[in-house]
Amino acid sequence: VEYLEKAIALDPEFDEALNHLGYTWAEKGKNLDRALDLIERAVKKDPENPAYLDSLGWVLFKLGRTSEALPHLERAAALLTEPDDTVYDHLGDVLAALGRMPEAKEAWRKSLGIEKSDEVQRKLDGTP
């Protein structure tokens, strides 16, 4: 975090650092409003970057703005040029939170098809 903050201080438009720091905080559930601001700045700089769109969807989900998160995660999945298990895992979590379980399970299956994960498998199985 310290190095990312320094990178952003040196170049406030360094989109990779903006996204990485914002995503790090979203994953930890900390500084979510600041994380959203950082990620939105990264997306503004590169609006077709699936990693940035995934981060935006994820931080919105963490903020409880699930309906707003979905289109960003769907767009991230559509823009992938290489398989990304995390994007599909996040998409599954958001779909599940919206009560769209068949679609959530499909997203988690895609995630597992890319990389095995006990955590994602438990979601798919419906076990804690």
Side-chain angles (χ1 to χ4, degrees):
V1 169
E2 178 185 344
Y3 293 116
L4 291 168
E5 290 277 22
K6 285 181 183 180
I8 294 167
L10 290 171
D11 180 0
E13 299 305 313
F14 184 17
D15 54 317
E16 291 178 31
L18 292 166
N19 181 68
H20 193 76
L21 181 56
Y23 182 77
T24 298
W25 281 338
E27 275 292 285
K28 293 180 181 205
K30 296 181 178 182
N31 303 317
L32 293 177
D33 290 327
R34 175 98 196 282
L36 176 60
D37 175 63
L38 294 172
I39 294 166
E40 284 177 329
R41 287 168 47 199
V43 169
K44 186 175 181 182
K45 190 118 191 246
D46 189 357
E48 299 294 303
N49 186 315
Y52 297 176
L53 292 168
D54 172 68
S55 296
L56 181 55
W58 194 236
V59 74
L60 287 167
F61 176 67
K62 292 286 191 158
L63 283 163
R65 296 164 57 181
T66 309
S67 295
E68 290 177 63
L70 183 60
H72 299 293
L73 290 166
E74 289 174 328
R75 182 83 177 129
L79 288 171
L80 289 174
T81 56
E82 295 181 21
D84 188 317
D85 60 302
T86 301
V87 170
Y88 289 113
D89 181 26
H90 290 167
L91 180 58
D93 289 355
V94 168
L95 289 164
L98 292 170
R100 296 168 58 178
M101 287 310 294
E103 294 166 277
K105 288 182 177 189
E106 180 60 29
W108 290 327
R109 279 188 204 95
K110 287 181 181 179
S111 177
L112 288 171
I114 298 164
E115 185 168 323
K116 299 298 176 206
S117 163
D118 291 340
E119 179 184 345
V120 176
Q121 186 64 56
R122 283 191 296 275
K123 293 178 203 179
L124 186 58
D125 295 342
T127 56

